[in-house]
Amino acid sequence: MKPEALLHPTAEGLYCPVGDFHVDPVRPVPRALITHGHSDHARPGHGTVLATRETLEIMALRYGVDFAASRQIAGFGERLDVGGVTVSFHPAGHVLGSAQIALERQGLRIVVSGDYKRRPDRTCAAFEPVACNVFITEATFGLPVFHHPDPAVEIGKLLVSLEQFPERSHLIGAYALGKAQRVISLIRASGYDRPIYIHGALVRLCDYYVQNGVELGDLRPATLEGRSSDHFRGAVVIGPPSAFNDRWARRFHDPLAIFASGWMMVRQRAKQRGVELPLVISDHCDWPELQETIRDVGPEQVWVTHGREEALVRWCQLQGIEARPLHLVGYEDEGD
């Protein structure tokens, strides 16, 4: 069986004609398999959605309980028959509930990795390499220039700044799902046990992580109601990046602008955002980790879905691995 007969790109996203389903479709479809809860992969309006329990619950939190006509839970490692295709979900290490999806039929296995990372993360299950014939990978940071530093070292920069500028509010921009909780967890792992203040847009997802056993410590609302801005002197305040463009951020005492993202390695991006303290903390693989993952998986073919496609395709070809870009559209970097 040729791989393209089992899975191929369409305007809606990756489509499996045998099982009549899409993986991470960008438009509403009758049957969708979802890798994780970020909005560029998990959209509302589908007929049936198959995903991990956490992803389904995160979609309900973000879109409402009626985000799909029906839903089905896939446990990690469970083998399910979907229209004659054996489907299984495996940890991707990206955010809570994130999964790679393996499709099998007639001795052919294709793994759709979704978004994934290889670094240790106490807020979600670790990535597990799944041997396959075809590995479909993202390439968000798929250029040789991207070598992400140790996240603990980046958090150390925050701790130093808190010591050097104890009178300033330290405002960290971090995406609501995954990044915010990981940054909080990293801060706690560094020994910081003071209250951390969070924007209202993070509350439900942080509460959800805590309900699922992720320890985040003392979290408090980052609201000035009934308080003066002096209350937040020297405090750590975390909010979605969008909130830093409105009046909310300007209400704090002498705010120090921080942003946690793999893109903070690009100085021009930090400068454009007005970031004083860039923290290079990514929830995607860097260039060496993409290479490591492909070696671990050992595929005959690699299909690259989004990001810096051409460089990774060329690297695979130089290793004797057949590779091609899929040129899928509609996938951004919400998680980074």
Side-chain angles (χ1 to χ4, degrees):
M1 185 177 193
K2 292 185 177 181
E4 293 79 4
L6 182 58
L7 193 69
H8 62 261
T10 67
E12 289 76 22
L14 291 169
Y15 177 61
C16 175
V18 179
D20 190 22
F21 59 79
H22 289 79
V23 179
D24 289 352
V26 298
R27 302 174 187 172
V29 298
R31 183 182 292 174
L33 278 59
I34 305 297
T35 60
H36 66 284
H38 279 143
S39 60
D40 57 335
H41 291 257
R43 291 171 166 85
H46 304 305
T48 297
V49 171
L50 175 64
T52 64
R53 173 186 62 81
E54 295 90 345
T55 294
L56 292 173
E57 292 175 351
I58 286 169
M59 291 179 73
L61 282 175
R62 305 190 98 182
Y63 303 128
V65 295
D66 57 349
F67 67 85
S70 64
R71 67 195 76 174
Q72 180 181 351
I73 295 174
F76 284 139
E78 180 183 6
R79 294 171 65 83
L80 304 169
D81 184 285
V82 182
V85 177
T86 300
V87 172
S88 56
F89 285 61
H90 307 267
H94 183 54
V95 298
L96 185 62
S98 62
Q100 307 168 78
I101 301 177
L103 315 179
E104 298 178 58
R105 182 176 170 85
Q106 296 179 2
L108 173 68
R109 178 187 286 171
I110 298 177
V111 170
V112 184
S113 61
D115 289 339
Y116 63 98
K117 73 172 180 288
R118 303 299 301 270
R119 301 291 175 100
D121 182 354
R122 300 193 301 179
T123 69
C124 64
F127 178 93
E128 294 180 2
V130 179
C132 57
N133 305 99
V134 179
F135 184 60
I136 302 181
T137 179
E138 53 127 328
T140 302
F141 294 101
L143 289 174
V145 68
F146 290 113
H147 288 244
H148 296 146
D150 184 343
V153 172
E154 298 301 287
I155 294 299
K157 296 176 183 177
L158 170 65
L159 300 180
V160 169
S161 182
L162 287 166
E163 291 182 1
Q164 292 179 336
F165 305 104
E167 75 287 354
R168 301 187 69 180
S169 303
H170 284 59
L171 272 59
I172 305 175
Y175 289 107
L177 172 57
K179 182 57 65 65
Q181 295 78 24
R182 185 181 179 211
V183 167
I184 294 169
S185 177
L186 286 166
I187 294 172
R188 295 307 189 198
S190 75
Y192 185 91
D193 59 3
R194 294 170 55 190
I196 294 176
Y197 298 87
I198 59 174
H199 186 279
L202 306 184
V203 172
R204 287 192 302 171
L205 285 168
C206 285
D207 286 347
Y208 180 74
Y209 268 65
V210 172
Q211 291 165 13
N212 280 270
V214 179
E215 296 183 7
L216 299 178
D218 185 358
L219 301 182
R220 301 183 186 183
T223 176
L224 292 174
E225 293 180 11
R227 300 168 174 163
S228 72
S229 62
D230 288 347
H231 180 82
F232 296 96
R233 284 177 179 266
V236 173
V237 182
I238 301 179
S242 59
F244 288 65
N245 298 322
D246 60 28
R247 290 181 299 173
W248 176 81
R250 294 191 293 272
R251 293 173 180 173
F252 295 97
H253 181 81
D254 193 14
L256 193 154
I258 306 168
F259 188 34
S261 168
W263 292 113
M264 289 298 95
M265 192 172 180
V266 182
R267 292 183 179 180
Q268 187 60 27
R269 288 212 180 196
K271 184 177 180 181
Q272 288 172 348
R273 287 178 172 269
V275 175
E276 293 182 68
L277 178 58
L279 301 180
V280 185
I281 300 174
S282 176
D283 286 338
H284 296 264
C285 288
D286 62 10
W287 179 251
E289 291 164 339
L290 289 169
Q291 296 173 331
E292 173 192 6
T293 302
I294 292 169
R295 293 190 185 101
D296 287 347
V297 172
E300 299 158 15
Q301 295 185 36
V302 172
W303 298 353
V304 186
T305 59
H306 58 284
R308 281 66 195 160
E309 297 176 333
E310 299 298 341
L312 190 58
V313 167
R314 180 59 178 158
W315 178 83
C316 289
Q317 293 170 342
L318 290 173
Q319 310 309 307
I321 304 170
E322 185 178 342
R324 66 185 179 96
L326 294 183
H327 301 302
L328 295 180
V329 298
Y331 301 96
E332 307 300 334
D333 60 351
E334 183 201 355
D336 223 81

